[in-house]
Amino acid sequence: AQSVAQPEDQVNVAEGNPLTVKCTYSVSGNPYLFWYVQYPNRGLQFLLKYITGDNLVKGSYGFEAEFNKSQTSFHLKKPSALVSDSALYFCAVRAFTQGGKLIFGQGTELSVKP
Amino acid sequence: EPEVTQTPSHQVTQMGQEVILRCVPISNHLYFYWYRQILGQKVEFLVSFYNNEISEKSEIFDDQFSVERPDGSNFTLKIRSTKLEDSAMYFCASSEARTGSNSPLHFGNGTRLTVT
């Protein structure tokens, strides 16, 4: 069965510093991986996805993620954090089931301080 | 950009009452989903729906829950007899395609259900 794990409940970063939000996955076969962001009292917004091809995926708002097959990881990164990046971030894997549901990690709260 | 819309944004109901949560998926999408999130925690899958039938459901989606696409645009989640533990944020999502697809799910802003 497919699953993802986010080992950090919270990540604290100073504005202007690089940020990394970690995600590891467990799938049999090729994974379809996604990152979503959730702002307070809002739905989940799609940031980026990895399907095949280049291991470095670029997405919305200057975010990127690096797929590493040997480490089964898909960490979210941004070179220079903004205070407005503070939010809840979810890693997800697409299940190879009839419904094609997304399976989410437990979420990481990112706090960027000025 | 087209988006998934959900109504109401907040629903308060008494234990044992029936509630219907409504969603309008993106118009050319074919696959529909309901998820729930309890108090900013993990986002849990409830059910997926395609071609007017349930494709997959989780253990949470018991006999108290049902889904329906009553017309060409709406997608509803009904909870027959609400319990206190049903209090959560309920998200509707839609997708162009399913398994093996690179299409992301697009989520609505959610309905906050409070059962008293």
Side-chain angles (χ1 to χ4, degrees), chain B residues 53-76:
Chain B
E53 60 182 26
I54 291 173
S55 304
E56 186 179 5
K57 59 183 181 179
S58 71
E59 293 176 353
I60 303 168
F61 195 88
D62 61 22
D63 292 344
Q64 293 299 313
F65 291 87
S66 62
V67 289
E68 193 178 29
R69 188 152 163 84
D71 52 43
S73 59
N74 290 284
F75 180 50
T76 62

Short mmCIF file of all heavy atoms in Angstrom, two decimals, chain B residues 53-76:
data_model
loop_
_atom_site.label_atom_id
_atom_site.label_comp_id
_atom_site.label_asym_id
_atom_site.label_seq_id
_atom_site.Cartn_x
_atom_site.Cartn_y
_atom_site.Cartn_z
N GLU B 53 -21.24 6.35 -9.58
CA GLU B 53 -21.14 5.34 -8.54
C GLU B 53 -19.86 5.50 -7.74
O GLU B 53 -18.91 6.12 -8.20
CB GLU B 53 -21.25 3.93 -9.12
CG GLU B 53 -20.18 3.57 -10.12
CD GLU B 53 -20.40 2.17 -10.70
OE1 GLU B 53 -21.55 1.71 -10.71
OE2 GLU B 53 -19.42 1.54 -11.09
N ILE B 54 -19.88 4.95 -6.55
CA ILE B 54 -18.71 5.02 -5.68
C ILE B 54 -17.61 4.13 -6.23
O ILE B 54 -17.82 2.96 -6.54
CB ILE B 54 -19.08 4.59 -4.25
CG1 ILE B 54 -19.99 5.64 -3.61
CG2 ILE B 54 -17.84 4.38 -3.40
CD1 ILE B 54 -20.55 5.25 -2.26
N SER B 55 -16.41 4.70 -6.39
CA SER B 55 -15.25 3.94 -6.86
C SER B 55 -14.52 3.29 -5.70
O SER B 55 -14.03 2.17 -5.81
CB SER B 55 -14.27 4.86 -7.58
OG SER B 55 -14.88 5.53 -8.64
N GLU B 56 -14.44 4.03 -4.62
CA GLU B 56 -13.69 3.55 -3.46
C GLU B 56 -14.17 4.30 -2.23
O GLU B 56 -14.56 5.47 -2.33
CB GLU B 56 -12.19 3.82 -3.68
CG GLU B 56 -11.28 3.27 -2.63
CD GLU B 56 -9.82 3.55 -2.92
OE1 GLU B 56 -9.51 4.27 -3.90
OE2 GLU B 56 -8.97 3.05 -2.17
N LYS B 57 -14.15 3.65 -1.10
CA LYS B 57 -14.51 4.32 0.15
C LYS B 57 -13.62 3.83 1.27
O LYS B 57 -13.09 2.72 1.23
CB LYS B 57 -15.98 4.12 0.50
CG LYS B 57 -16.38 2.67 0.66
CD LYS B 57 -17.88 2.58 0.92
CE LYS B 57 -18.29 1.11 1.10
NZ LYS B 57 -19.75 0.99 1.38
N SER B 58 -13.47 4.67 2.28
CA SER B 58 -12.63 4.32 3.42
C SER B 58 -13.49 3.71 4.52
O SER B 58 -14.72 3.68 4.44
CB SER B 58 -11.91 5.56 3.94
OG SER B 58 -12.83 6.42 4.59
N GLU B 59 -12.80 3.26 5.57
CA GLU B 59 -13.51 2.70 6.73
C GLU B 59 -14.37 3.73 7.42
O GLU B 59 -15.36 3.40 8.08
CB GLU B 59 -12.50 2.13 7.72
CG GLU B 59 -11.75 0.92 7.19
CD GLU B 59 -10.69 0.44 8.17
OE1 GLU B 59 -10.43 1.12 9.17
OE2 GLU B 59 -10.10 -0.63 7.91
N ILE B 60 -13.99 5.01 7.29
CA ILE B 60 -14.76 6.08 7.92
C ILE B 60 -16.14 6.17 7.27
O ILE B 60 -17.14 6.48 7.92
CB ILE B 60 -14.05 7.43 7.76
CG1 ILE B 60 -12.64 7.37 8.35
CG2 ILE B 60 -14.85 8.56 8.38
CD1 ILE B 60 -11.78 8.55 7.98
N PHE B 61 -16.20 5.91 6.00
CA PHE B 61 -17.43 6.08 5.20
C PHE B 61 -18.35 4.89 5.45
O PHE B 61 -18.43 3.95 4.66
CB PHE B 61 -17.06 6.20 3.72
CG PHE B 61 -18.18 6.71 2.86
CD1 PHE B 61 -18.35 8.07 2.67
CD2 PHE B 61 -19.04 5.84 2.21
CE1 PHE B 61 -19.37 8.56 1.87
CE2 PHE B 61 -20.06 6.31 1.41
CZ PHE B 61 -20.23 7.66 1.23
N ASP B 62 -19.03 4.93 6.60
CA ASP B 62 -19.92 3.82 6.94
C ASP B 62 -21.34 4.10 6.46
O ASP B 62 -21.57 5.01 5.65
CB ASP B 62 -19.87 3.57 8.46
CG ASP B 62 -20.34 4.78 9.26
OD1 ASP B 62 -21.06 5.63 8.72
OD2 ASP B 62 -19.97 4.86 10.45
N ASP B 63 -22.29 3.32 6.96
CA ASP B 63 -23.67 3.42 6.48
C ASP B 63 -24.33 4.76 6.77
O ASP B 63 -25.40 5.05 6.22
CB ASP B 63 -24.52 2.30 7.09
CG ASP B 63 -24.11 0.94 6.57
OD1 ASP B 63 -23.40 0.90 5.54
OD2 ASP B 63 -24.47 -0.07 7.20
N GLN B 64 -23.73 5.55 7.65
CA GLN B 64 -24.29 6.86 7.95
C GLN B 64 -24.00 7.88 6.84
O GLN B 64 -24.61 8.94 6.81
CB GLN B 64 -23.72 7.39 9.28
CG GLN B 64 -24.16 6.59 10.48
CD GLN B 64 -25.67 6.63 10.66
OE1 GLN B 64 -26.29 7.69 10.59
NE2 GLN B 64 -26.27 5.48 10.85
N PHE B 65 -23.06 7.55 5.98
CA PHE B 65 -22.65 8.47 4.92
C PHE B 65 -23.21 8.01 3.58
O PHE B 65 -23.32 6.81 3.31
CB PHE B 65 -21.12 8.51 4.82
CG PHE B 65 -20.42 9.17 5.97
CD1 PHE B 65 -20.08 8.43 7.10
CD2 PHE B 65 -20.10 10.51 5.94
CE1 PHE B 65 -19.43 9.03 8.17
CE2 PHE B 65 -19.44 11.12 7.00
CZ PHE B 65 -19.11 10.37 8.11
N SER B 66 -23.51 8.98 2.73
CA SER B 66 -23.86 8.67 1.35
C SER B 66 -23.47 9.84 0.47
O SER B 66 -23.33 10.97 0.95
CB SER B 66 -25.35 8.36 1.20
OG SER B 66 -26.13 9.48 1.55
N VAL B 67 -23.25 9.55 -0.80
CA VAL B 67 -22.93 10.60 -1.76
C VAL B 67 -23.87 10.48 -2.94
O VAL B 67 -24.40 9.41 -3.24
CB VAL B 67 -21.47 10.54 -2.26
CG1 VAL B 67 -20.50 10.94 -1.17
CG2 VAL B 67 -21.13 9.16 -2.80
N GLU B 68 -24.02 11.62 -3.60
CA GLU B 68 -24.96 11.66 -4.73
C GLU B 68 -24.55 12.76 -5.68
O GLU B 68 -23.99 13.79 -5.26
CB GLU B 68 -26.37 11.94 -4.20
CG GLU B 68 -27.47 11.70 -5.19
CD GLU B 68 -28.84 11.95 -4.59
OE1 GLU B 68 -28.97 12.77 -3.67
OE2 GLU B 68 -29.79 11.31 -5.07
N ARG B 69 -24.82 12.52 -6.95
CA ARG B 69 -24.66 13.57 -7.93
C ARG B 69 -26.05 13.78 -8.53
O ARG B 69 -26.39 13.16 -9.54
CB ARG B 69 -23.65 13.16 -8.99
CG ARG B 69 -23.26 14.24 -9.96
CD ARG B 69 -21.86 14.00 -10.48
NE ARG B 69 -21.58 14.76 -11.70
CZ ARG B 69 -21.19 16.01 -11.70
NH1 ARG B 69 -21.04 16.68 -10.58
NH2 ARG B 69 -20.92 16.63 -12.85
N PRO B 70 -26.85 14.61 -7.90
CA PRO B 70 -28.27 14.68 -8.24
C PRO B 70 -28.55 15.30 -9.61
O PRO B 70 -29.60 15.06 -10.19
CB PRO B 70 -28.85 15.56 -7.12
CG PRO B 70 -27.71 16.36 -6.63
CD PRO B 70 -26.50 15.48 -6.78
N ASP B 71 -27.60 16.10 -10.09
CA ASP B 71 -27.77 16.70 -11.41
C ASP B 71 -26.40 16.79 -12.06
O ASP B 71 -25.45 16.19 -11.58
CB ASP B 71 -28.45 18.07 -11.28
CG ASP B 71 -27.72 18.96 -10.29
OD1 ASP B 71 -26.46 18.99 -10.33
OD2 ASP B 71 -28.37 19.61 -9.48
N GLY B 72 -26.29 17.55 -13.13
CA GLY B 72 -25.01 17.59 -13.85
C GLY B 72 -23.92 18.40 -13.20
O GLY B 72 -22.78 18.38 -13.67
N SER B 73 -24.25 19.10 -12.10
CA SER B 73 -23.23 19.98 -11.54
C SER B 73 -22.94 19.73 -10.06
O SER B 73 -21.81 19.91 -9.63
CB SER B 73 -23.63 21.44 -11.74
OG SER B 73 -24.87 21.70 -11.13
N ASN B 74 -23.91 19.33 -9.29
CA ASN B 74 -23.70 19.20 -7.85
C ASN B 74 -23.22 17.82 -7.44
O ASN B 74 -23.52 16.82 -8.09
CB ASN B 74 -25.01 19.51 -7.10
CG ASN B 74 -25.37 20.97 -7.18
OD1 ASN B 74 -24.78 21.80 -6.51
ND2 ASN B 74 -26.34 21.29 -8.04
N PHE B 75 -22.49 17.80 -6.34
CA PHE B 75 -22.01 16.55 -5.75
C PHE B 75 -22.20 16.71 -4.25
O PHE B 75 -21.66 17.65 -3.66
CB PHE B 75 -20.54 16.34 -6.12
CG PHE B 75 -19.92 15.10 -5.57
CD1 PHE B 75 -20.51 13.86 -5.72
CD2 PHE B 75 -18.69 15.15 -4.92
CE1 PHE B 75 -19.92 12.72 -5.21
CE2 PHE B 75 -18.09 14.02 -4.41
CZ PHE B 75 -18.71 12.79 -4.57
N THR B 76 -22.99 15.84 -3.64
CA THR B 76 -23.35 16.04 -2.24
C THR B 76 -22.86 14.91 -1.35
O THR B 76 -22.74 13.76 -1.79
CB THR B 76 -24.87 16.18 -2.06
OG1 THR B 76 -25.49 14.97 -2.49
CG2 THR B 76 -25.41 17.34 -2.87
#
